[in-house]
Amino acid sequence: MTVTPAGAPTAPLGGAASGSRRKAQTDRKAPAAARATDKHRDERVGATIELIAAVIAVSDDEPVVEVLVSADGREPERLPSARFLVETGQTLDDALRGPVEAETGHQIGYLQQLIAFAEPRPPGSDSVLPADVMIGYLALVHDSRRTRGGARKRARQSRWQGCYQHLPWEDWRGGRPRIVDEVILPRLVAWAKAGQSGLSKAALGRQQAGRAARVRLAFANPGSDWDEDKVLVRYDLLAEAGLLAEEMTGGRGLRGGRGGKAIADIALGRVMLAGHRRVLAA
């Protein structure tokens, strides 16, 4: 990704002819242009680009992910991440690699961008921008041994955790997971039948049919084949149905503290900071 620094020229440079007249015109326009640039920067206050890495390895035939937890356990679990600052001139990869290595103690060799999405701001936010941007990466390591552990942040510790603890409905090592039929499908079927209030009868019927079809295709209910590539589709469907705690209350359910309780707080896997479990699903 190439980012043009604020204020950098984007038009082709012209010749030297009528240079003094052009310079005078530019000088007169400069204050207005500066004000426009400053105004744009003011509007961007509070907007962030968060880079998130799912550091993945395999241990005893199980995919595991590096998870960061607070020492006191009061903050939600999260994936290693970094804030991208445009003014540094770094690439996205470079901005993420160093902080991830510092937080986890693993030297990251392979990085691949997986997903980019906007996280809606909560009502009453001061920023004029509708959302922050989160960009998720896959980072692979060969084994679970740390290459340097002293640089990790104080008050946090990282550990390997089974991916299926966060996405238990994806664990088919022992056959179809019981959680699909006993916990997820009854709630999704009820959500599909309920529909959205305030719709006309025809619109409600179309929505109910559409939701039912999505549930059937995503979770193989009934008679459909389970598509192992639809991990993110299933996650987003559960989030839309209000079954994932961190995806409630405008996507900010667990940002900065526990909250946004959902009926699936325990039954539907370990909760993460808002947006981070979605990166893992991707």
Side-chain angles (χ1 to χ4, degrees):
M1 174 178 179
T2 303
V3 179
T4 302
T10 56
L13 295 176
S18 65
S20 58
R21 184 178 61 186
R22 186 172 302 168
K23 182 178 186 302
Q25 292 174 342
T26 303
D27 290 343
R28 285 195 298 270
K29 293 178 181 178
R35 286 195 298 272
T37 301
D38 290 343
K39 181 176 183 295
H40 181 63
R41 283 182 178 169
D42 290 342
E43 290 177 347
R44 288 178 59 90
V45 170
T48 62
I49 299 176
E50 185 178 1
L51 309 176
I52 306 168
V55 182
I56 300 292
V58 177
S59 176
D60 297 328
D61 286 337
E62 180 183 13
V64 291
V65 61
E66 189 85 0
V67 174
L68 288 161
V69 296
S70 60
D72 57 11
R74 297 178 63 181
E75 296 180 35
E77 297 173 345
R78 69 171 178 87
L79 300 177
S81 61
R83 184 68 51 84
F84 177 68
L85 302 175
V86 175
E87 58 267 24
T88 64
Q90 290 181 300
T91 66
L92 294 174
D93 287 13
D94 289 341
L96 179 62
R97 191 181 300 274
V100 169
E101 292 181 353
E103 285 193 320
T104 66
H106 298 294
Q107 186 171 354
I108 305 300
Y110 177 81
L111 273 178
Q112 176 186 336
Q113 189 176 131
L114 297 172
I115 187 173
F117 58 95
E119 182 182 324
R121 291 183 174 278
S125 173
D126 292 335
S127 175
V128 298
L129 295 181
D132 289 347
V133 175
M134 305 181 108
I135 304 177
Y137 280 80
L138 168 67
L140 296 180
V141 295
H142 291 295
D143 56 50
S144 58
R145 292 173 294 181
R146 301 193 185 281
T147 54
R148 51 178 193 175
R152 280 171 288 161
K153 285 185 177 180
R154 260 182 227 175
R156 278 199 178 273
Q157 54 185 345
S158 64
R159 68 185 181 206
W160 289 110
Q161 197 153 272
C163 293
Y164 295 133
Q165 293 188 41
H166 298 280
L167 308 167
W169 55 89
E170 301 295 341
D171 186 3
W172 281 66
R173 291 174 297 172
R176 185 178 173 93
R178 293 176 57 186
I179 192 174
V180 173
D181 296 309
E182 296 179 3
V183 179
I184 293 176
L185 280 176
R187 288 165 172 80
L188 286 180
V189 170
W191 167 76
K193 288 181 178 179
Q196 182 180 339
S197 61
L199 296 179
S200 67
K201 186 175 180 179
L204 179 60
R206 289 192 297 270
Q207 185 186 71
Q208 290 170 331
R211 285 183 174 183
R214 291 168 60 200
V215 171
R216 181 177 66 255
L217 293 174
F219 285 92
N221 171 51
S224 299
D225 293 329
W226 185 274
D227 187 345
E228 62 183 15
D229 292 330
K230 284 188 167 64
V231 181
L232 184 58
V233 171
R234 284 186 283 271
Y235 182 87
D236 285 344
L237 187 60
L238 291 170
E240 184 181 344
L243 302 180
L244 301 175
E246 66 265 49
E247 302 297 340
M248 298 179 69
T249 62
R252 298 277 176 153
L254 291 182
R255 182 170 291 282
R258 296 195 176 277
K261 291 292 184 180
I263 60 173
D265 233 359
I266 298 175
L268 291 193
R270 297 181 68 93
V271 173
M272 282 186 169
L273 198 66
H276 286 226
R277 193 155 48 144
R278 188 165 192 245
V279 171
L280 178 59

